């Protein structure tokens, strides 16, 4: 039956991601001068594709990472990964941390191992038109989360962008503990109200809003 198939699918995914998590523990950080990593380190990953931007959400992200660095200095065995939609380049980590320092005045402890997991290809594939944007964008975040977690599976997954649909992959399929800081949700009550009242807006296409079936 369908229920049995779903359960078996979830179990298969858990086994699959368990193997990736084991491999993730052996990955080096992007900074070769960081403290040595260990297989016993707790893996914490942040889903924040625009981590190099300079808004309020990014300030929260880097403050959280700074706190984890202080916890690392206090003796907690912890490693951090950041899922980013930027393309990789040799100077990426240094550029991003310099930007965080200049923009927010935030310095992260050099003892904290940080790995940037690039999901730029998944980002390009998930880009869609503005029609049915809430559904398409939410489906796109699921696709990006899958690409992220199949590269690096953490013990703890933290979304700092408001993309709640990524929890399906992180919690249900990958078996991560999940946390979130919601700065701007991808789907808000205001957006749903626009759809319900069929009012056209930049995020509610006029052709869709004019049709009760599409709405």
């Amino acid at each position: 039956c369908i229920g049995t198939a779903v359960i078996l699918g979830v179990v298969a995914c858990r086994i699959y991601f368990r193997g990736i998590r084991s491999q993730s523990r052996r990955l080096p950080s992007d900074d070769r001068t960081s403290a040595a990593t260990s297989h016993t380190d707790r893996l914490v990953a942040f889903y924040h594709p625009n981590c190099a931007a300079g808004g309020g959400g990014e300030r929260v992200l880097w403050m959280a990472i700074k706190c984890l660095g202080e916890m690392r200095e206090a003796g907690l065995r912890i490693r951090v990964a950041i899922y980013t939609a930027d393309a990789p380049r040799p100077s990426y980590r240094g550029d991003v941390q310099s930007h965080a320092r200049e923009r927010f005045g935030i310095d992260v402890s050099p003892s904290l191992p940080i790995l940037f997991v690039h999901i730029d290809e998944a980002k390009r594939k998930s880009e869609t038109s503005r029609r049915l944007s809430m559904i398409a964008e939410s489906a796109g975040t699921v696709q990006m989360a899958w690409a992220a977690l199949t590269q690096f599976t953490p013990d703890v997954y933290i979304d700092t962008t408001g993309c709640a649909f990524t929890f399906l992959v992180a919690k249900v399929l990958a078996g991560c503990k999940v946390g979130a800081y919601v700065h701007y949700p991808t789907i808000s009550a205001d957006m749903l109200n626009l759809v319900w009242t069929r009012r056209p807006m930049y995020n509610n296409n006029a052709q869709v809003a004019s049709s009760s079936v599409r709405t």
Side-chain angles (χ1 to χ4, degrees), residues 46 61-80 97 105-114:
F46 291 87
L61 167 70
W62 288 105
M63 279 301 297
I65 294 173
K66 178 183 177 181
C67 290
L68 292 177
E70 293 171 351
M71 294 168 69
R72 171 90 181 189
E73 290 180 341
L76 181 65
R77 300 298 304 182
I78 192 168
R79 295 177 59 194
V80 166
Q97 289 197 247
I106 297 174
D107 275 309
V108 178
S109 170
S111 69
L112 179 67
I114 299 177

Side-chain angles (χ1 to χ4, degrees), residues 98-140:
S98 294
H99 181 262
R101 187 181 307 112
E102 295 169 2
R103 175 72 174 174
F104 308 120
I106 297 174
D107 275 309
V108 178
S109 170
S111 69
L112 179 67
I114 299 177
L115 174 69
F116 287 92
V117 179
H118 297 271
I119 53 173
D120 48 304
E121 292 186 10
K123 172 66 174 176
R124 287 194 294 271
K125 291 177 181 179
S126 69
E127 290 176 346
T128 58
S129 68
R130 291 182 179 272
R131 294 190 179 186
L132 302 176
S133 60
M134 287 191 290
I135 296 175
E137 288 174 9
S138 297

